[in-house]
Amino acid sequence: MLGLAILALACAALPGLIAWVNLSILRTPEPDLDVRSRVSVLIPARNEAAVIATTVRAALASAGVALEVLVGDDHSTDDTAAIVAGIAATDHRLRLIPIPPLPEGWTGKNHACARLAEAAQGTHLLFVDADVTLAPAAAAALVAHARRTDSALVSGVPRQRMGTLGERLTVPMINFLLVGYLPMAMMRASPRPSLGAACGQLVLVARAAYEDTGGHGAVRTSLHDGVVLPRRFRRAGYRTDLVAAHALATCRMYRGFGEAWAGFSKNAREGMATPRALPVWTLLLAGGHVLPWLLLLAALLGFGSGAVVFPAVAAALVSLATRAAITLVTREPAGTILLHPFTVLVALAIQWRALLRRRGAGTPAWKGRSYPVGGP
């Protein structure tokens, strides 16, 4: 039992140290006075009538750059296209792009993004999910950071809004994994593709680099562009970077536990849910953020020695402190902090279910489309 407690403390301390370093270097970029850049804000949309007007109007309010906004209507069956067309009639900077039928071998979002990029005229392309609300300075700030750091791709996690318990049990893992486990100083110093990361909700790319790497067409089968696109850029010799984006955009990506489970499940096989990676992730996450509480419960029930209590308490406190620091800095709901052990358990359940799912059975589905599960 003492050995397990020491293991728990070590697994909790690792993300604590990484997060401390990351939070000390992550900054929200500032726009500069150079407005030579022309930014194309590209918004793929499929049945987004409930949110698309807010997203489009926020994008059109972008300041500090020459701007165009393109919305790709991906065969919506609701009023998405009509809403966008109505706004476009009052603002020439907005265009509605009908997306052609989905070809075999493509996933829906990648196809829509590729078609939008073809129609865009900007020197920089800012891909934004249809549920992301940009701050007025967001586009200019991201372009300024790309220029200052010579980065061909810049991304960040918008401030996540969560309206239900199910969202609070799932969504916070995005920031926790990026800030707690990606060594960003190493990412910035090393060109290794494995260190590339992005949040698919908010991705700025230099158009020339995007075309050189093949853009979304080169990752057409992927369900997780936040992982594969920056790695593609890095393999081609381009620099990618992450910034603090909680002041640049907001997003409510899911509505309830069912949507969140389905959404994270579709990305799992290109994230943690691989035969080699998931056992390691399970050791790190369960060991550092669930095991301490199990050990304390066992001690409370009279199992094990008193020597277990101190390292278990230390591990639990470090785990919560790390989660609290990330939550408060990224402006997520403070009430999610005490849910952290359960959030980790839900994340691991999603990943293990995705890994153990038989090929072709229970295929990931999103926005009315199903995608076969490939890979080992």
Side-chain angles (χ1 to χ4, degrees):
M1 293 282 282
L2 180 58
L4 287 177
I6 293 172
L7 173 66
L9 181 56
C11 289
L14 175 64
L17 177 61
I18 294 174
W20 180 78
V21 175
N22 285 345
L23 292 174
S24 70
I25 64 174
L26 267 179
R27 295 289 183 271
T28 301
E30 295 288 340
D32 56 30
L33 299 178
D34 185 352
V35 295
R36 290 176 299 166
S37 298
R38 180 174 176 83
V39 176
S40 299
V41 180
L42 308 181
I43 308 170
R46 180 174 168 86
N47 294 329
E48 301 286 0
V51 297
I52 196 64
T54 299
T55 301
V56 168
R57 293 189 190 281
L60 289 169
S62 298
V65 292
L67 181 76
E68 67 170 356
V69 178
L70 277 61
V71 177
D73 176 41
D74 192 4
H75 302 271
S76 298
T77 56
D78 61 8
D79 291 333
T80 297
I83 292 169
V84 176
I87 302 173
T90 66
D91 195 323
H92 71 277
R93 298 173 301 165
L94 173 63
R95 285 190 283 156
L96 177 66
I97 307 296
I99 303 299
L102 183 66
E104 184 177 355
W106 285 78
T107 56
K109 180 182 177 181
N110 287 333
H111 181 240
C113 287
R115 302 291 78 80
L116 285 168
E118 289 175 351
Q121 299 174 355
T123 59
H124 287 79
L125 311 178
L126 177 54
F127 294 97
V128 176
D129 281 358
D131 46 15
V132 171
T133 303
L134 292 174
L142 290 169
V143 170
H145 184 83
R147 285 186 165 174
R148 292 183 195 118
T149 60
D150 193 28
S151 296
L153 182 152
V154 179
S155 182
V157 181
R159 182 169 65 86
Q160 301 296 310
R161 296 186 293 112
M162 306 163 213
T164 66
L165 177 62
E167 294 163 67
R168 294 179 178 218
L169 282 170
T170 50
V171 175
M173 284 301 289
I174 299 173
N175 269 315
F176 185 74
L177 289 172
L178 276 177
V179 179
Y181 289 92
L182 176 65
M184 294 187 187
M186 186 182 300
M187 178 267 291
R188 290 176 172 176
S190 169
R192 289 172 56 187
S194 61
L195 292 172
C199 175
Q201 299 169 358
L202 183 71
V203 179
L204 177 91
V205 298
R207 183 190 188 95
Y210 181 86
E211 293 176 345
D212 183 50
T213 60
H216 284 89
V219 297
R220 66 189 63 186
T221 62
S222 173
L223 287 163
H224 202 340
D225 55 335
V227 170
V228 297
L229 200 60
R231 293 180 180 179
R232 176 80 182 183
F233 272 61
R234 284 178 165 243
R235 288 191 189 97
Y238 292 103
R239 180 183 175 87
T240 72
D241 201 6
L242 284 165
V243 299
H246 54 271
L248 300 180
T250 60
C251 176
R252 185 177 179 188
M253 61 189 302
Y254 299 124
R255 300 282 194 286
F257 185 75
E259 271 195 20
W261 181 281
F264 286 114
S265 293
K266 72 179 173 62
N267 297 338
R269 287 297 293 269
E270 294 175 81
M272 294 189 291
T274 67
R276 290 185 179 181
L278 191 50
V280 177
W281 278 111
T282 301
L283 173 64
L284 292 173
L285 291 171
H289 309 285
V290 179
L291 180 58
W293 303 101
L294 297 179
L295 292 172
L296 289 174
L297 178 61
L300 185 65
L301 295 175
F303 298 101
S305 67
V308 170
V309 174
F310 177 77
V313 168
L317 291 177
V318 169
S319 170
L320 284 183
T322 302
R323 170 61 190 277
I326 294 171
T327 298
L328 296 176
V329 169
T330 58
R331 301 183 192 174
E332 292 184 346
T336 64
I337 296 170
L338 293 180
L339 294 174
H340 182 55
F342 304 101
T343 303
V344 170
L345 283 174
V346 171
L348 288 173
I350 291 172
Q351 300 297 319
W352 276 105
R353 181 179 181 275
L355 179 62
L356 298 176
R357 183 168 45 202
R358 292 185 296 110
R359 184 192 300 260
T363 56
W366 193 247
K367 298 290 184 182
R369 290 172 174 145
S370 296
Y371 300 102
V373 177

